[in-house]
Short mmCIF file of all heavy atoms in Angstrom, two decimals:
data_model
loop_
_atom_site.label_atom_id
_atom_site.label_comp_id
_atom_site.label_asym_id
_atom_site.label_seq_id
_atom_site.Cartn_x
_atom_site.Cartn_y
_atom_site.Cartn_z
N ALA A 1 0.22 6.38 29.18
CA ALA A 1 -0.88 7.12 28.55
C ALA A 1 -2.02 6.18 28.16
O ALA A 1 -3.20 6.50 28.38
CB ALA A 1 -0.38 7.89 27.33
N ALA A 2 -1.68 5.02 27.60
CA ALA A 2 -2.70 4.05 27.21
C ALA A 2 -3.46 3.54 28.44
O ALA A 2 -4.69 3.50 28.45
CB ALA A 2 -2.07 2.88 26.46
N HIS A 3 -2.75 3.17 29.47
CA HIS A 3 -3.39 2.66 30.68
C HIS A 3 -4.23 3.72 31.38
O HIS A 3 -5.26 3.40 31.99
CB HIS A 3 -2.35 2.07 31.62
CG HIS A 3 -1.76 0.79 31.12
ND1 HIS A 3 -0.65 0.22 31.69
CD2 HIS A 3 -2.11 -0.03 30.10
CE1 HIS A 3 -0.35 -0.91 31.05
NE2 HIS A 3 -1.22 -1.07 30.07
N ALA A 4 -3.81 4.98 31.28
CA ALA A 4 -4.56 6.08 31.93
C ALA A 4 -5.95 6.25 31.34
O ALA A 4 -6.85 6.74 32.02
CB ALA A 4 -3.78 7.39 31.82
N VAL A 5 -6.13 5.83 30.09
CA VAL A 5 -7.46 5.96 29.45
C VAL A 5 -8.09 4.59 29.22
O VAL A 5 -8.99 4.43 28.40
CB VAL A 5 -7.38 6.77 28.14
CG1 VAL A 5 -7.01 8.21 28.42
CG2 VAL A 5 -6.43 6.13 27.14
N GLY A 6 -7.61 3.57 29.94
CA GLY A 6 -8.20 2.25 29.88
C GLY A 6 -7.90 1.46 28.63
O GLY A 6 -8.64 0.55 28.27
N LYS A 7 -6.81 1.79 27.95
CA LYS A 7 -6.42 1.08 26.73
C LYS A 7 -5.24 0.15 27.01
O LYS A 7 -4.54 0.27 28.01
CB LYS A 7 -6.01 2.08 25.64
CG LYS A 7 -7.08 3.06 25.26
CD LYS A 7 -8.18 2.39 24.49
CE LYS A 7 -9.22 3.41 24.05
NZ LYS A 7 -10.30 2.83 23.32
N SER A 8 -5.00 -0.78 26.09
CA SER A 8 -3.86 -1.69 26.18
C SER A 8 -2.66 -1.08 25.45
O SER A 8 -2.81 -0.20 24.61
CB SER A 8 -4.21 -3.02 25.51
OG SER A 8 -5.29 -3.64 26.16
N PHE A 9 -1.48 -1.57 25.80
CA PHE A 9 -0.24 -1.12 25.16
C PHE A 9 0.45 -2.30 24.50
O PHE A 9 0.59 -3.36 25.11
CB PHE A 9 0.70 -0.47 26.18
CG PHE A 9 2.04 -0.12 25.60
CD1 PHE A 9 2.17 0.87 24.65
CD2 PHE A 9 3.17 -0.81 26.00
CE1 PHE A 9 3.40 1.19 24.11
CE2 PHE A 9 4.42 -0.52 25.46
CZ PHE A 9 4.52 0.50 24.52
N LEU A 10 0.88 -2.11 23.27
CA LEU A 10 1.62 -3.12 22.51
C LEU A 10 3.04 -2.62 22.31
O LEU A 10 3.25 -1.52 21.81
CB LEU A 10 0.94 -3.35 21.16
CG LEU A 10 1.45 -4.52 20.34
CD1 LEU A 10 0.31 -5.14 19.55
CD2 LEU A 10 2.54 -4.07 19.39
N MET A 11 4.03 -3.40 22.72
CA MET A 11 5.44 -3.03 22.63
C MET A 11 6.09 -3.79 21.48
O MET A 11 5.96 -5.00 21.39
CB MET A 11 6.13 -3.36 23.96
CG MET A 11 7.54 -2.89 24.09
SD MET A 11 8.08 -3.20 25.81
CE MET A 11 9.76 -2.66 25.74
N GLY A 12 6.78 -3.07 20.61
CA GLY A 12 7.45 -3.70 19.47
C GLY A 12 8.81 -4.24 19.84
O GLY A 12 9.54 -3.65 20.64
N VAL A 13 9.17 -5.39 19.23
CA VAL A 13 10.46 -6.04 19.45
C VAL A 13 11.02 -6.43 18.09
O VAL A 13 10.33 -7.05 17.28
CB VAL A 13 10.30 -7.30 20.33
CG1 VAL A 13 11.62 -8.03 20.46
CG2 VAL A 13 9.75 -6.95 21.70
N SER A 14 12.27 -6.06 17.82
CA SER A 14 12.91 -6.40 16.55
C SER A 14 14.42 -6.32 16.71
O SER A 14 14.92 -5.49 17.46
CB SER A 14 12.46 -5.42 15.47
OG SER A 14 12.99 -5.77 14.22
N PRO A 15 15.17 -7.18 16.01
CA PRO A 15 16.62 -7.16 16.17
C PRO A 15 17.31 -6.04 15.40
O PRO A 15 18.27 -5.48 15.88
CB PRO A 15 17.07 -8.52 15.63
CG PRO A 15 16.01 -8.90 14.67
CD PRO A 15 14.74 -8.32 15.20
N LEU A 16 16.86 -5.69 14.21
CA LEU A 16 17.50 -4.66 13.42
C LEU A 16 16.53 -4.19 12.35
O LEU A 16 15.48 -4.78 12.15
CB LEU A 16 18.80 -5.15 12.76
CG LEU A 16 18.67 -6.32 11.76
CD1 LEU A 16 18.43 -5.84 10.35
CD2 LEU A 16 19.92 -7.17 11.82
N GLN A 17 16.89 -3.12 11.66
CA GLN A 17 16.07 -2.62 10.56
C GLN A 17 17.02 -2.10 9.49
O GLN A 17 17.98 -1.38 9.80
CB GLN A 17 15.16 -1.51 11.06
CG GLN A 17 14.24 -0.97 9.98
CD GLN A 17 13.42 0.20 10.49
OE1 GLN A 17 13.92 1.06 11.20
NE2 GLN A 17 12.15 0.24 10.12
N PHE A 18 16.77 -2.48 8.25
CA PHE A 18 17.61 -1.95 7.18
C PHE A 18 16.81 -1.76 5.91
O PHE A 18 15.74 -2.32 5.73
CB PHE A 18 18.81 -2.86 6.91
CG PHE A 18 18.47 -4.13 6.17
CD1 PHE A 18 18.51 -4.19 4.78
CD2 PHE A 18 18.12 -5.27 6.86
CE1 PHE A 18 18.21 -5.36 4.10
CE2 PHE A 18 17.82 -6.44 6.19
CZ PHE A 18 17.86 -6.49 4.81
N LYS A 19 17.37 -0.93 5.04
CA LYS A 19 16.81 -0.71 3.72
C LYS A 19 17.96 -0.65 2.74
O LYS A 19 18.94 0.06 2.97
CB LYS A 19 16.03 0.61 3.69
CG LYS A 19 15.36 0.88 2.35
CD LYS A 19 14.50 2.13 2.47
CE LYS A 19 13.66 2.34 1.23
NZ LYS A 19 12.75 3.48 1.41
N HIS A 20 17.86 -1.42 1.66
CA HIS A 20 18.90 -1.41 0.63
C HIS A 20 18.22 -1.47 -0.73
O HIS A 20 17.76 -2.52 -1.15
CB HIS A 20 19.85 -2.60 0.80
CG HIS A 20 20.97 -2.59 -0.18
ND1 HIS A 20 22.06 -1.76 -0.04
CD2 HIS A 20 21.15 -3.27 -1.33
CE1 HIS A 20 22.88 -1.96 -1.05
NE2 HIS A 20 22.35 -2.86 -1.85
N ILE A 21 18.11 -0.33 -1.37
CA ILE A 21 17.50 -0.24 -2.69
C ILE A 21 18.57 0.07 -3.73
O ILE A 21 18.73 -0.63 -4.70
CB ILE A 21 16.39 0.84 -2.73
CG1 ILE A 21 15.29 0.51 -1.74
CG2 ILE A 21 15.84 1.00 -4.14
CD1 ILE A 21 14.43 -0.68 -2.11
N ASP A 22 19.29 1.17 -3.52
CA ASP A 22 20.36 1.58 -4.43
C ASP A 22 21.34 2.43 -3.63
O ASP A 22 21.17 2.62 -2.44
CB ASP A 22 19.80 2.33 -5.64
CG ASP A 22 18.98 3.56 -5.24
OD1 ASP A 22 19.34 4.25 -4.26
OD2 ASP A 22 17.97 3.83 -5.90
N SER A 23 22.33 2.98 -4.28
CA SER A 23 23.36 3.70 -3.55
C SER A 23 22.86 4.97 -2.87
O SER A 23 23.48 5.48 -1.96
CB SER A 23 24.53 4.05 -4.47
OG SER A 23 24.07 4.88 -5.53
N GLY A 24 21.70 5.49 -3.27
CA GLY A 24 21.20 6.70 -2.66
C GLY A 24 20.05 6.50 -1.70
O GLY A 24 19.53 7.46 -1.16
N ASN A 25 19.63 5.25 -1.48
CA ASN A 25 18.46 5.01 -0.65
C ASN A 25 18.69 3.82 0.27
O ASN A 25 17.95 2.85 0.23
CB ASN A 25 17.24 4.78 -1.55
CG ASN A 25 15.94 4.92 -0.80
OD1 ASN A 25 15.92 5.33 0.36
ND2 ASN A 25 14.85 4.57 -1.44
N ASN A 26 19.72 3.92 1.09
CA ASN A 26 20.08 2.83 2.00
C ASN A 26 20.20 3.36 3.42
O ASN A 26 20.69 4.46 3.63
CB ASN A 26 21.43 2.21 1.60
CG ASN A 26 21.41 1.69 0.19
OD1 ASN A 26 20.44 1.10 -0.25
ND2 ASN A 26 22.48 1.92 -0.54
N TRP A 27 19.80 2.57 4.41
CA TRP A 27 20.04 2.90 5.80
C TRP A 27 19.99 1.63 6.64
O TRP A 27 19.49 0.61 6.21
CB TRP A 27 19.09 3.95 6.33
CG TRP A 27 17.66 3.78 5.96
CD1 TRP A 27 17.00 4.37 4.93
CD2 TRP A 27 16.69 2.96 6.62
NE1 TRP A 27 15.70 3.97 4.91
CE2 TRP A 27 15.47 3.10 5.93
CE3 TRP A 27 16.73 2.11 7.72
CZ2 TRP A 27 14.31 2.44 6.29
CZ3 TRP A 27 15.57 1.46 8.09
CH2 TRP A 27 14.39 1.64 7.38
N TYR A 28 20.51 1.76 7.82
CA TYR A 28 20.61 0.61 8.73
C TYR A 28 20.47 1.11 10.15
O TYR A 28 21.15 2.05 10.55
CB TYR A 28 21.97 -0.06 8.54
CG TYR A 28 22.25 -1.20 9.48
CD1 TYR A 28 21.52 -2.37 9.42
CD2 TYR A 28 23.25 -1.11 10.44
CE1 TYR A 28 21.77 -3.43 10.29
CE2 TYR A 28 23.51 -2.16 11.31
CZ TYR A 28 22.77 -3.31 11.23
OH TYR A 28 23.01 -4.35 12.09
N ARG A 29 19.55 0.53 10.89
CA ARG A 29 19.41 0.84 12.31
C ARG A 29 19.89 -0.38 13.07
O ARG A 29 19.32 -1.45 12.98
CB ARG A 29 17.96 1.20 12.62
CG ARG A 29 17.59 2.50 11.91
CD ARG A 29 16.16 2.83 12.07
NE ARG A 29 15.93 3.38 13.41
CZ ARG A 29 14.73 3.73 13.83
NH1 ARG A 29 13.67 3.59 13.07
NH2 ARG A 29 14.59 4.22 15.04
N ARG A 30 20.94 -0.19 13.81
CA ARG A 30 21.67 -1.30 14.42
C ARG A 30 20.80 -2.13 15.35
O ARG A 30 19.84 -1.65 15.92
CB ARG A 30 22.88 -0.76 15.17
CG ARG A 30 23.84 -0.05 14.23
CD ARG A 30 25.03 0.40 14.98
NE ARG A 30 25.84 -0.77 15.30
CZ ARG A 30 27.16 -0.76 15.29
NH1 ARG A 30 27.81 0.31 14.98
NH2 ARG A 30 27.82 -1.85 15.59
N GLY A 31 21.22 -3.36 15.52
CA GLY A 31 20.47 -4.23 16.40
C GLY A 31 21.26 -5.45 16.82
O GLY A 31 20.68 -6.46 17.19
N GLU A 32 22.58 -5.36 16.76
CA GLU A 32 23.40 -6.53 17.09
C GLU A 32 23.08 -7.08 18.48
O GLU A 32 23.10 -8.28 18.70
CB GLU A 32 24.90 -6.19 17.02
CG GLU A 32 25.41 -5.93 15.63
CD GLU A 32 25.28 -4.48 15.18
OE1 GLU A 32 24.54 -3.71 15.82
OE2 GLU A 32 25.90 -4.12 14.19
N GLN A 33 22.82 -6.20 19.42
CA GLN A 33 22.49 -6.63 20.79
C GLN A 33 21.03 -6.38 21.13
O GLN A 33 20.57 -6.74 22.20
CB GLN A 33 23.34 -5.85 21.80
CG GLN A 33 24.83 -5.98 21.61
CD GLN A 33 25.54 -5.13 22.64
OE1 GLN A 33 25.41 -5.37 23.84
NE2 GLN A 33 26.28 -4.14 22.20
N ASN A 34 20.32 -5.77 20.22
CA ASN A 34 19.00 -5.24 20.53
C ASN A 34 17.99 -6.29 20.98
O ASN A 34 17.26 -6.08 21.93
CB ASN A 34 18.45 -4.48 19.32
CG ASN A 34 17.31 -3.57 19.67
OD1 ASN A 34 17.32 -2.92 20.71
ND2 ASN A 34 16.32 -3.54 18.81
N LEU A 35 17.92 -7.41 20.29
CA LEU A 35 16.89 -8.40 20.59
C LEU A 35 16.99 -8.92 22.02
O LEU A 35 15.99 -8.97 22.74
CB LEU A 35 16.96 -9.55 19.59
CG LEU A 35 15.75 -10.46 19.52
CD1 LEU A 35 14.49 -9.68 19.19
CD2 LEU A 35 15.97 -11.55 18.50
N GLU A 36 18.16 -9.26 22.43
CA GLU A 36 18.37 -9.78 23.79
C GLU A 36 17.93 -8.77 24.84
O GLU A 36 17.19 -9.09 25.77
CB GLU A 36 19.86 -10.12 23.98
CG GLU A 36 20.23 -10.49 25.37
CD GLU A 36 21.73 -10.67 25.54
OE1 GLU A 36 22.48 -10.65 24.54
OE2 GLU A 36 22.15 -10.81 26.70
#
């Protein structure tokens, strides 16, 4: 879509994502193999 209108595309790279605030506001998006 970006290239179709002459724009550039930026691709995100990250190994994992997590949030740890308290017992009711925690999550984890796995990434053990993701970076590679």
